[in-house]
Amino acid sequence: MESRTSHNLFEVYLRLRPSPPGAPASERILTVEAPETKEEEVQREATGVTHITLNPPTDRRRAIEKFAFTRVFEPDAGQLDVFHSAGVVPMVEGVLARDGGDGTDAMIATLGVTGSGKTHTMLGSKTQRGLTQLTLDVLFRSIGLNMLEGLHLASAADSLQASDPSEATLMTASNFIDAVCGDVPGSRSRAATPMIGESHNPLSPGPARRNIQRPSALPQTPDVSNIDMCCDASAEYAVVVSMYEVHNDRIYDLLSPPSRNASSKDIRRRPLLFKSTEIERARDAKTAGATLVEAGKINESLMYLGQCLQTQSEVGTSSKPNIVPYRQCKLTELLFSNSFPSSSSSSQPQGPRRNPQRGVMIVTADPLGDFNATSQILRYSALAREVTVPRIPSITATILANAPPMAGRPPSPVQTHHPRPFMPPGSSGSYRVASSDERATMELAALEIARLSDDIDHLREEVDAQTEARMTAEAHLMSMEDRMLDLEASIRDDCATEFEERLAIELARFKSSLLLEQERNDEHWDRKVDVLERGLGTDEADDKENVLVESLEEELERLRRENVILKRELANRSPSKRRPLEERGDCASSPQGLPTKGEGVAQLGRKMEKMHLSNSNSRAPGGASSGSPKKLRRLGNRKWEHEEDADLEY
Ligand SMILES: Nc1ncnc2c1ncn2[C@@H]1O[C@H](COP(=O)(O)OP(=O)(O)OP(=O)(O)O)[C@@H](O)[C@H]1O
């Protein structure tokens, strides 16, 4: 392919992916502009620049955007077309440095919305080889016998490892394949994180990452065996392959085993020959939370990329020194850091200067994809952009367009586009010739409108600039939000730890006070039980007393009855024999105070005797008796009844 002279650090190509079968063509948002005239076709041939138009969906009042690219690959373009047309062969030539020297670094990067074909372009598919395989094929065949092998490779690997600032481990391709395929005895599924300065034998198989099947047949098409290049016959070559992914402004080494050490993800390794970078935009910028933060970071990276690409084109055209701000994010640093000529060694400022790298950016897009996402990617990656805002014709413009042309003056373009006279609604329909005053007024109005129209254009540009500034600010805001989230998480962790510590202390304090309280309660209950027991002992003594009292009362009752019986018996006797009972002497004969049955009767006899004597004594002086003889006689009939009762009771 004929190489074109360009001042750009990157040639930017657009590759459109084919539509999936059955997709409606009506939803196509992207069209490639065909040259309308012969001149345009010639110009395109000369410059190679192609334009595409991004059409907003019909329901939105969005501007129609036109983007310029070094070249556009249409959906039917194959891998080989891209390989040749993107100028990969001259890049490989530059790397090989046939004529000696340091050669020229080369960079191939893809950029696109998810699913737009980045992986397909770089790594191919099951049947098609991608740019990486095609390039390596050409490179290996061109180097041929000049490739380092055996012991030379081991020593070269050591020096490469020593000059590599990253933690990545170098190993030979065969050892890497063995490790990846996992059929090496004793291989592990995950490797330990290599330490800086740790020696590693590149000839020994490294730790296995995953057990994948060894591919039986890799795709062989497209074929590039016809491409033959020469290398420097006096040089020895080693090809170092590395793969990185830029995500969330971090660079991940895809070939190294995953490490738990987050800081190691940040370490950037500079590939000696190729860098392949894939960046992607979030599927939907409206998603919340982490995805939003992620989208913010990606948008920020894209914005810096846009700034760098814009500055690079200005570097070529303007005489003023223009510095490309590539150190603002990891993505642009990775893409552009080799783009500028520099001294090969700081200690030898007069030494040979390293050639700036050649860069190719392949932007991938889906013509049926998401309008917003595609528009954003294209806006930041295209070489040039034009915006056409669809205008709704105003009433004034329509009036002016319908005014008749002034004599002696060329008709204005607006007027020529609208030849039909304007008839306002309700008018008679007859056309009235305007006076010269009216025409002059209309001319002035037309000029004013033209001025206003220019103003509007300026304002639109300003709005665009403001929109971009707002996006930048939003991106910053999102990254700040991300930081705030991190901070919040760490504060929460701290709080949780402190809370747990305090909780443990309070729990211990609570337990000890609970134990104390339990002990106090136990003591209290013990005391109560003592008191109760003592109380129960007193009741028993009382009971004994009660029993005694009860038996005494019973005895007393019995004695009373006895007394009554005796009184009756006495009353039934003859009054002459009657002696009054000696008062209450009937109950003091036994030593216990209780008379036995025999003693009771004997006593009773004695008492009755006494009563008889005392009665007779008392009757003698007065002759008068206190008791009535009639009464006594009447009671005589019942005397024995009571005696029987008394006997029965005894
Ligand atoms: N030019 C193409 N020709 C044929 N198929 C394609 C092409 N581009 C993309 N595809 C197909 O589209 C699908 C998505 O492509 P791919 O995986 O390369 O997208 P991607 O940009 O890498 O997506 P992601 O960012 O999500 O990884 C794949 O099935 C791929 O085969």
Side-chain angles (χ1 to χ4, degrees):
M1 181 193 157
E2 186 197 336
S3 61
R4 297 186 181 94
T5 48
S6 166
H7 298 289
N8 286 343
L9 301 173
F10 274 88
E11 295 297 341
V12 187
Y13 296 87
L14 177 68
R15 185 177 194 187
L16 303 179
R17 62 157 287 180
S19 316
S26 57
E27 288 173 12
R28 199 177 163 95
I29 55 163
L30 211 151
T31 48
V32 184
E33 287 202 342
E36 285 176 359
T37 59
K38 193 82 186 156
E39 270 176 17
E40 270 183 26
E41 200 175 332
V42 171
Q43 198 184 2
R44 180 174 294 187
E45 279 297 312
T47 60
V49 173
T50 321
H51 288 88
I52 59 121
T53 312
L54 193 65
N55 300 299
T58 44
D59 57 333
R60 287 191 217 157
R61 295 198 169 178
R62 293 285 301 267
I64 295 167
E65 292 167 294
K66 209 191 238 189
F67 298 95
F69 289 94
T70 308
R71 182 179 172 146
V72 176
F73 297 109
E74 300 232 31
D76 56 354
Q79 301 287 68
L80 207 55
D81 293 328
V82 178
F83 180 77
H84 284 299
S85 304
V88 180
V89 174
M91 285 166 77
V92 175
E93 255 176 341
V95 168
L96 287 173
R98 184 181 59 183
D99 302 324
D102 283 349
T104 311
D105 286 348
M107 156 81 82
I108 304 174
T110 55
L111 170 71
V113 178
T114 182
S116 58
K118 299 184 293 293
T119 313
H120 181 84
T121 303
M122 293 305 291
L123 297 173
S125 59
K126 281 183 182 166
T127 53
Q128 293 266 307
R129 298 199 285 180
L131 290 187
T132 310
Q133 294 96 317
L134 294 176
T135 310
L136 285 175
D137 190 351
V138 172
L139 200 62
F140 272 87
R141 275 189 305 94
S142 305
I143 292 171
L145 294 174
N146 289 44
M147 187 73 81
L148 273 173
E149 274 185 47
L151 287 176
H152 294 286
L153 177 61
S155 59
D158 280 344
S159 77
L160 281 172
Q161 185 86 67
S163 62
D164 188 352
S166 78
E167 286 182 5
T169 308
L170 282 179
M171 64 174 82
T172 61
S174 57
N175 285 340
F176 179 77
I177 298 279
D178 286 345
V180 165
C181 293
D183 43 10
V184 173
S187 62
R188 291 172 297 167
S189 61
R190 247 181 137 98
T193 308
M195 303 300 291
I196 296 172
E198 190 181 44
S199 66
H200 173 76
N201 181 6
L203 299 177
S204 68
R209 280 183 69 211
R210 50 185 181 266
N211 296 328
I212 57 167
Q213 289 292 310
R214 197 181 280 270
S216 53
L218 293 168
Q220 296 300 317
T221 54
D223 184 20
V224 282
S225 57
N226 56 335
I227 302 172
D228 222 354
M229 272 181 279
C230 296
C231 64
D232 182 359
S234 62
E236 287 181 313
Y237 292 82
V239 178
V240 181
V241 179
S242 48
M243 285 181 78
Y244 295 95
E245 183 179 340
V246 182
H247 187 76
N248 248 349
D249 204 28
R250 284 185 184 168
I251 300 171
Y252 299 96
D253 184 354
L254 298 180
L255 298 185
S256 290
S259 155
R260 282 183 181 277
N261 181 8
S263 62
S264 68
K265 287 177 181 170
D266 274 338
I267 291 185
R268 183 167 68 89
R269 183 177 174 217
R270 178 173 296 169
L272 297 181
L273 300 176
F274 289 92
K275 293 171 185 172
S276 73
T277 306
E278 295 187 6
I279 60 169
E280 62 181 49
R281 189 187 178 282
R283 209 175 287 268
D284 186 356
K286 288 175 194 158
T287 48
T291 316
L292 203 61
V293 173
E294 200 176 301
K297 287 242 164 110
I298 293 169
N299 288 343
E300 199 177 343
S301 300
L302 278 177
M303 190 198 65
Y304 291 135
L305 175 68
Q307 280 181 5
C308 289
L309 288 174
Q310 197 182 341
T311 320
Q312 65 146 10
S313 49
E314 286 164 11
V315 167
T317 51
S318 84
S319 53
K320 279 187 259 170
N322 227 343
I323 295 161
V324 178
Y326 66 86
R327 287 191 199 280
Q328 300 195 70
C329 74
K330 291 271 191 311
L331 172 70
T332 49
E333 199 178 347
L334 189 66
L335 290 176
F336 289 91
S337 56
N338 281 355
S339 299
F340 306 98
S342 68
S343 171
S344 62
S345 163
S346 55
S347 59
Q348 295 175 321
Q350 271 76 44
R353 287 167 73 81
R354 194 185 69 205
N355 294 325
Q357 75 176 14
R358 284 192 205 160
V360 166
M361 172 91 74
I362 300 173
V363 180
T364 53
D366 182 0
L368 300 178
D370 179 58
F371 174 82
N372 287 327
T374 310
S375 161
Q376 196 174 5
I377 288 281
L378 297 183
R379 191 175 308 155
Y380 288 121
S381 60
L383 294 175
R385 172 173 169 242
E386 288 170 33
V387 182
T388 317
V389 181
R391 290 184 193 161
I392 304 159
S394 68
I395 293 175
T396 322
T398 316
I399 293 170
L400 284 170
N402 293 326
M406 280 172 62
R409 287 193 184 197
S412 76
V414 179
Q415 287 167 332
T416 49
H417 284 306
H418 301 276
R420 278 200 308 129
F422 171 72
M423 285 177 280
S427 68
S428 64
S430 61
Y431 179 64
R432 185 176 65 83
V433 178
S435 69
S436 61
D437 280 355
E438 282 171 338
R439 278 200 217 111
T441 312
M442 282 183 182
E443 277 294 312
L444 282 173
L447 286 172
E448 185 63 17
I449 286 166
R451 194 184 61 77
L452 287 174
S453 165
D454 281 352
D455 283 355
I456 289 169
D457 283 348
H458 280 125
L459 286 173
R460 280 216 178 88
E461 277 170 18
E462 242 174 65
V463 166
D464 279 354
Q466 292 295 332
T467 311
E468 286 200 5
R470 185 174 56 81
M471 279 176 62
T472 314
E474 277 173 2
H476 276 301
L477 181 71
M478 282 173 184
S479 64
M480 288 311 292
E481 274 176 2
D482 194 19
R483 262 190 234 168
M484 292 301 291
L485 283 175
D486 284 350
L487 200 67
E488 189 189 329
S490 75
I491 289 171
R492 275 180 193 281
D493 278 354
D494 289 351
C495 286
T497 318
E498 198 182 327
F499 172 75
E500 275 168 15
E501 281 170 3
R502 286 202 186 169
L503 187 69
I505 292 168
E506 288 302 320
L507 217 58
R509 203 183 292 172
F510 172 72
K511 273 183 188 167
S512 64
S513 66
L514 196 69
L515 280 174
L516 205 67
E517 189 65 30
Q518 273 178 351
E519 278 174 17
R520 275 190 201 150
N521 271 352
D522 288 350
E523 273 177 29
H524 179 70
W525 280 109
D526 285 349
R527 280 203 299 273
K528 278 204 166 189
V529 167
D530 281 351
V531 169
L532 194 66
E533 278 173 2
R534 264 185 261 136
L536 283 173
T538 317
D539 282 354
E540 273 177 22
D542 284 352
D543 281 353
K544 279 179 193 168
E545 279 175 17
N546 287 341
V547 168
L548 196 62
V549 168
E550 273 174 18
S551 61
L552 285 174
E553 280 176 350
E554 278 174 13
E555 185 64 21
L556 184 65
E557 189 61 32
R558 189 183 59 76
L559 288 173
R560 272 185 191 146
R561 279 201 306 269
E562 222 174 63
N563 193 18
V564 170
I565 291 164
L566 288 173
K567 276 181 182 174
R568 279 182 197 154
E569 199 178 318
L570 195 63
N572 287 338
R573 285 193 184 179
S574 156
S576 59
K577 291 179 185 176
R578 193 181 166 202
R579 285 175 64 192
L581 281 172
E582 288 181 4
E583 289 304 312
R584 313 310 303 170
D586 53 351
C587 51
S589 53
S590 80
Q592 293 84 10
L594 293 172
T596 61
K597 192 178 176 182
E599 281 173 345
V601 173
Q603 265 185 356
L604 199 62
R606 280 194 301 273
K607 283 176 189 174
M608 286 173 72
E609 197 58 40
K610 277 182 192 171
M611 278 167 64
H612 174 72
L613 290 172
S614 61
N615 278 344
S616 59
N617 291 341
S618 62
R619 245 189 336 259
S625 170
S626 59
S628 163
K630 285 182 185 175
K631 223 176 185 177
L632 286 171
R633 244 177 259 133
R634 244 185 282 143
L635 286 170
N637 296 335
R638 299 179 65 189
K639 178 181 89 177
W640 302 113
E641 288 172 23
H642 289 287
E643 272 182 355
E644 277 171 18
D645 287 348
D647 285 342
L648 276 173
E649 280 182 20
Y650 282 101

